[in-house]
Amino acid sequence: MTVILLIAPLLLPFAAPPLARRALEGARPVVALWTLTVCAMVLAGACVASLGALVLTGVLRVPAFAALGELVHPLNAPSDLVVVPAAALATGALTLGAVTLVRSALRQSRAFRVARRQAGRRPAAGDLCVVDSPHPDAYALPGRPHRIVVTTAMLRSLGPRERDALFAHERAHNAGGHHYFLAAAELAAHCHPALRPAREAIRLAAERAADEAAASAVGDRRLTAHAIARAALAGHAAPSPRPDFASAATTGPVPQRVAALLTPPGRPSRAPHRVALLLAACALLSGTAASAGVLDFHHEIEIAQGEATR
């Protein structure tokens, strides 16, 4: 029973990508952003907990480790034909996830330091920092203080009102703390491969939330859509030192975002909310199964240590 409970959280994340995409359609971007991020983190946490318990189940079958764990009775678990392969696969998955996460964290840290150093060398007008570069780019740089970094090439690509819309978009990213959501999505993506598409859905939700905030700030949805489209065309394939969690108006599926801005806001549909509830139920089921499996595993260890009875 314990193994079944621990395997369920490894399978449930495969339902997240289609549900995440559907939850974005017609839902309020801020609500979708929170829902997707929380669900992704719950699914990722349940996955890691289950993998850890499976690893320990296999490790405690080894007499030397069983002695270290002060087991006086054999651990109640399926046969070695099931436990050993499951533990080996879980060990490999955790190791691979940890290695890729560390590599990503080091790369992102270097990119963040470079971006902050580059912004720190330029005089800032409020939160706006202009960098002399032939490559059009603009992004929200988190930290203390927050910065809106824009290159001279991007400024030349946009008109005055379009610049205002672009700056409003980037300020919305910093004001909403979207870098936290993007960092959480990156962490979840390294815990389970099925959560990588959910990471992209979270990125899109963050951009859509900033799009709507910018449209509200400048009071013109069409102008905001035009500014984002022109900025994306100007910055297409341009190299940028920014880290992945530094949000930019030119990222994500820009045509989809522009189409959403050009569509007059209407009455929210109930369908995305039903899908969001289904995604939340999936995350809750995964978390519950992982918790029950870990607690059951802990009880089996106490029995093997002679500290509890069935």
Side-chain angles (χ1 to χ4, degrees):
M1 183 63 180
T2 302
V3 174
I4 295 175
L5 288 172
L6 294 178
I7 289 177
L10 307 181
L11 300 178
L12 286 170
F14 288 102
L19 292 176
R21 287 191 294 268
R22 289 290 306 278
L24 278 172
E25 300 173 1
R28 291 180 56 195
V30 174
V31 175
L33 179 61
W34 275 98
T35 302
L36 296 180
T37 305
V38 171
C39 289
M41 290 304 294
V42 171
L43 289 168
C47 175
V48 171
S50 295
L51 288 173
L54 286 173
V55 169
L56 288 176
T57 301
V59 165
L60 292 177
R61 303 286 285 188
V62 179
F65 289 105
L68 288 176
E70 299 180 352
L71 303 188
V72 297
H73 304 295
L75 186 66
N76 183 34
S79 67
D80 290 344
L81 294 177
V82 176
V83 171
V84 173
L89 290 174
T91 302
L94 283 176
T95 302
L96 180 61
V99 169
T100 58
L101 178 60
V102 170
R103 290 178 60 184
S104 176
L106 292 175
R107 179 174 59 85
Q108 297 297 325
S109 296
R110 286 193 297 267
F112 179 68
R113 289 195 300 270
V114 169
R116 290 295 302 186
R117 192 182 309 118
Q118 184 184 56
R121 289 198 296 261
R122 302 294 191 278
D127 63 346
L128 184 63
C129 178
V130 179
V131 176
D132 187 15
S133 172
H135 304 295
D137 196 16
Y139 55 91
L141 185 61
R144 294 186 179 180
H146 291 325
R147 286 283 183 258
I148 304 300
V149 180
V150 60
T151 64
T152 52
M154 180 62 80
L155 292 177
R156 289 193 296 267
S157 302
L158 303 177
R161 296 187 65 204
E162 292 169 340
R163 294 173 192 168
D164 291 339
L166 180 66
F167 298 158
H169 175 99
E170 304 303 350
R171 288 191 177 100
H173 279 310
N174 279 335
H178 292 170
H179 52 285
Y180 294 118
F181 294 92
L182 298 183
E186 183 71 18
L187 175 61
H190 289 283
C191 295
H192 197 291
L195 296 177
R196 292 171 188 168
R199 172 182 57 187
E200 303 310 314
I202 291 172
R203 287 184 179 278
L204 176 55
E207 294 303 327
R208 285 283 301 115
D211 290 343
E212 294 296 330
S216 177
V218 301
D220 192 333
R221 298 179 66 85
R222 182 171 294 276
L223 171 65
T224 305
H226 195 252
I228 289 170
R230 289 196 63 181
L233 287 174
H236 179 65
S240 174
R242 66 173 181 264
D244 291 343
F245 57 80
S247 304
T250 57
T251 59
V254 175
Q256 182 178 344
R257 293 166 49 203
V258 170
L261 282 170
L262 294 178
T263 303
R267 187 174 182 179
S269 172
R270 292 184 178 181
H273 295 121
R274 296 193 187 101
V275 176
L277 287 175
L278 186 58
L279 179 61
C282 180
L284 180 61
L285 179 61
S286 180
T288 302
S291 299
V294 169
L295 289 175
D296 194 17
F297 171 69
H298 182 262
H299 182 63
E300 293 294 341
I301 290 179
E302 289 182 330
I303 292 174
Q305 292 174 334
E307 297 178 0
T309 58
R310 297 189 185 280

